[in-house]
């Protein structure tokens, strides 16, 4: 059931390097190493997903999961989510919000815009490692997307 | 019927003198003519009898008056037979007494006086043939022969009916006259009586009653007038009434006399009169004209009443009225003042209200800012805490051989505090979230809610043995999630603070009291010192040391905030080591608003 890891990609949109490192630690700890692309804000995320004039390659095709922080410089996580859901190509792409906010309004808004999950980053590191690791495993290994063959 | 001229009685010669002195012997009246004239007179009944009374002649007048024909009575009846028998008897008796000789009640009674030569004219009731009766005046004359012996009697009668009627009328008139006289006398007596009463009234009246003639000269003066004005009747009668009038009012008398001459009353006018002593007297005066029998005005009566007391009372009333008016005025002024004050108060209140509105808006705004700040800060604080904890863990994991046991322990302290701070931030966020969340009120089944919370909390720590008693609870209305949080916080505390009790006991009860639903969570745990009771509900306030009972000190603050948002309240009772009881009250769902 383990797929070719070279084809499996996670986009991590996170402006906080410590959180980014811990997230990648957690994913690595669960055996999903070398599959993460880390961008530091929403604008960078959109460039990576849909390409730019200089780098026209749209990388969304290689992605199976987006881990999206909400509070980001330049373009917010919410706007990134909206853009992903507005484009037919990225609409089925699983997006899990990974954030410090446990605000009900943020949760509701995220789901309204088509988020597939919402994880409040725990302060306690063991809990953090466990939650993010399980999350990665689920979406990368267990979840099935359209067009995929078993 | 023709007069009977025949008879066997020897007619007496009638010697009469001729009337009017013209008679002379040379021209003697013919006796037969005279007799015929007398006997044929229709207006007299001429009845002649023999000496025994048997009728011999019964003339035309007698026939007409009595209804008999001469032939029916001559030689058969006596005058007594055609007279009222009762009267005949009565006459007999009366004559017997008068003349002191017995007289038989028959013809003798009719002629006895005449038989003795006494002229006799009397009244008598004749009875007609048909039985009817009429009064008659009868003149009786004895007829004698030449020797003077009585040979018969002549009874000449006239019908006295008309005269009787006249007499009756006269009697009636006399009676009427007499009645009138009596009535008049009575009227006079009555008038005298009334006059007496009037005089008594006038004399005893408290009002001065006086009269004067048309020139204003006093003609009567009663005792009250003497008392009122000080002048006696002797002083005043014959004097001018005007002496009573103060000089400045002298015109009054002229007007009064003018009105009286015109026959008008002068009714109830108030004026002032001068006493003999010179002092002035307020009086109420009524003046009426006095008329003679022909209706001519001949003077005036005057009634004057002393109104000194009345005037004083009036003055007093006026004084009272002025006083009252003053009071009303001052009350009105007070009201005006109070209105002004009220208006000022209203302005102040309006100012205050607008200030309150302003301040409320400011507070709401700064509250929102604060909450946004808390939200932002708590999120931003959480990230470094995660890093502190996460990287401390990494150091321990990766370099524990270099750190040694003590280094690892110390880094663990760093991590514990980082996590503690994370918990504080979570609670702070929860607390600030209560204020921002909208309340969705609904009817709450408290029994069900509490049972659910108790079950859930028990499941978190299955090792604990806690005796819960849950009494039936009144339902109330509120936000289900928030009030559930209240129960969770109170019961969590109760469970926490009974941890050291050998037999933990938690009692949950409720009641309706004073328009509120009151709920109580009572435990037999560590309790608290009431001196610190006010600190119970402050954020991050704790009454126990962390090494005794863990906690952030936000649970009761959150509960209080939830209750305040429901217009409810919460309070605690306790004693150190003797348990605590936390109560909260929610207003009962209001019934339908009154129309």
């Amino acid at each position: 059931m383990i797929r070719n890891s070279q084809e499996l990609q996670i986009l991590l949109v996170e402006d906080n390097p410590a959180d980014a490192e811990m997230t990648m630690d957690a994913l690595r700890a669960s055996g999903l190493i070398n599959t993460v692309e880390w961008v530091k804000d929403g604008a960078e995320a959109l460039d990576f997903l849909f390409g730019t004039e200089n780098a026209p390659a749209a990388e969304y095709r290689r992605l199976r999961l987006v881990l999206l922080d909400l509070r980001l410089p330049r373009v917010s996580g919410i706007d990134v989510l909206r853009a992903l859901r507005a484009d037919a190509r990225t609409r089925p792409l699983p997006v899990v919000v990974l954030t410090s906010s446990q605000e009900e309004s943020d949760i509701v808004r995220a789901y309204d815009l088509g988020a597939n999950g919402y994880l409040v980053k725990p302060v306690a590191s063991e809990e953090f490692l466990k939650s993010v690791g399980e999350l990665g495993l689920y979406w990368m290994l267990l979840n099935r997307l359209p067009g995929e063959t078993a | 019927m023709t007069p009977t001229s025949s008879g066997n009685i020897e007619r007496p010669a009638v010697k009469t003198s001729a009337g009017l002195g013209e008679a002379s012997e040379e021209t003697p009246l013919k006796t037969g003519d005279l007799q015929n004239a007398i006997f044929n007179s229709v207006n007299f009944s001429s009845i002649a009898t023999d000496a025994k009374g048997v009728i011999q002649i019964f003339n035309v007048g007698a026939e007409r008056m009595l209804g008999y024909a001469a032939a029916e009575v001559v030689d058969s009846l006596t005058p007594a037979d055609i007279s009222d028998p009762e009267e005949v008897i009565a006459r007999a008796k009366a004559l017997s007494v008068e003349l002191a000789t017995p007289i038989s009640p028959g013809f003798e009674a009719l002629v006895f006086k005449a038989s003795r030569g006494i002229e006799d004219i009397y009244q008598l009731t004749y009875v007609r043939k048909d039985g009817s009766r009429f009064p008659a005046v009868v003149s009786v004359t004895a007829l004698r022969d030449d020797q003077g012996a009585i040979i018969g009697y002549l009874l000449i009668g006239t019908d006295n009916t008309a005269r009787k009627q006249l007499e009756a009328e006269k009697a009636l008139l006399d009676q009427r006259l007499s009645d009138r006289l009596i009535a008049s006398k009575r009227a006079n007596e009555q008038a005298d009586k009334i006059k007496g009463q009037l005089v008594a009234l006038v004399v005893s009246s408290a009002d001065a009653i006086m009269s004067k003639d048309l020139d204003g000269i006093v003609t009567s003066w009663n005792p009250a007038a003497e008392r009122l004005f000080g002048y006696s009747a002797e002083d005043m009668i014959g004097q001018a009434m005007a002496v009573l009038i103060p000089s400045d009012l002298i015109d009054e008398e002229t007007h009064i006399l003018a009105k009286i001459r015109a026959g008008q009353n002068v009714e109830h006018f108030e004026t002032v009169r001068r006493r003999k002593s010179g002092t002035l007297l307020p009086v109420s005066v009524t003046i009426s004209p006095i008329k003679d029998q022909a209706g001519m005005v001949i003077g005036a009566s005057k009634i004057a009443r002393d109104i000194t007391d009345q005037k004083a009372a009036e003055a007093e009333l006026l004084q009272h009225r002025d006083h009252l008016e003053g009071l009303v005025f001052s009350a009105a002024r007070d009201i005006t003042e109070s209105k002004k004050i009220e208006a000022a108060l209203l302005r102040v209140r309006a100012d205050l209200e607008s200030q309150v509105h302003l301040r409320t808006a400011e507070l709401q705004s700064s509250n929102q800012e604060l909450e946004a700040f808390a939200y932002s800060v708590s999120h931003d604080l959480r990230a470094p805490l995660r890093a502190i904890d996460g990287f401390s863990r990494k150091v321990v994991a990766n370099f524990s051989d270099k750190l040694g046991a003590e280094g690892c322990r110390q880094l663990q302290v760093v991590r514990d505090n980082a996590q503690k701070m994370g918990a504080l931030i979570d609670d702070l966020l929860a607390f600030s979230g209560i204020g921002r969340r909208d309340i969705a009120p609904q009817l709450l089944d408290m029994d069900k809610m509490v049972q659910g919370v108790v079950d859930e909390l028990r499941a978190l720590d299955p090792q604990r043995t806690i005796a819960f008693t849950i009494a039936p609870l009144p339902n109330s209305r509120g936000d289900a999630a928030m009030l559930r949080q209240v129960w969770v916080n109170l019961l969590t505390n109760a469970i926490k603070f009974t941890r050291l009790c050998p037999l933990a006991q938690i009692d949950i009860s409720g009641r309706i009291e004073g328009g509120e639903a009151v709920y109580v969570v009572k435990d037999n745990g560590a309790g608290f010192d009431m001196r610190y009771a006010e600190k119970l509900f402050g954020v991050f306030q704790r009454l126990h040391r962390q090494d005794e009972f863990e906690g952030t000190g936000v649970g009761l603050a959150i509960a209080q905030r939830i209750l305040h948002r429901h217009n409810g309240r919460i309070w605690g009772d306790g004693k150190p080591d003797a348990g605590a009881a936390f109560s909260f009250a929610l207003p009962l769902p209001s019934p339908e608003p009154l129309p």
Side-chain angles (χ1 to χ4, degrees), chain B residues 6-38:
Chain B
S6 64
N8 50 5
I9 178 172
E10 190 182 341
R11 287 192 173 80
V14 176
K15 288 184 177 172
T16 64
S17 55
L20 306 173
E22 287 177 15
S24 65
E25 297 208 351
E26 284 78 20
T27 53
L29 283 172
K30 289 177 180 172
T31 303
D33 290 344
L34 189 64
Q35 282 176 344
N36 282 340
I38 290 167

Side-chain angles (χ1 to χ4, degrees), chain A residues 49-89:
Chain A
L49 284 164
F50 299 110
T52 60
E53 283 180 19
N54 297 333
E59 297 288 352
Y60 68 89
R61 292 186 193 86
R62 295 175 54 230
L63 294 176
R64 266 187 86 76
L65 175 65
V66 176
L67 294 175
L68 181 65
D69 194 5
L70 290 179
R71 306 223 296 167
L72 296 166
R74 295 160 75 187
V75 177
S76 76
I78 288 296
D79 289 336
V80 172
L81 178 59
R82 190 178 288 118
L84 285 170
R85 291 296 176 250
D87 194 309
R89 298 168 297 173

Side-chain angles (χ1 to χ4, degrees), chain B residues 258-274:
Chain B
K259 282 193 107 174
I260 291 302
R261 282 192 194 98
Q264 293 172 327
N265 285 349
V266 181
E267 290 196 359
H268 286 300
F269 72 98
E270 288 181 5
T271 184
V272 177
R273 289 293 178 262
R274 194 173 56 202

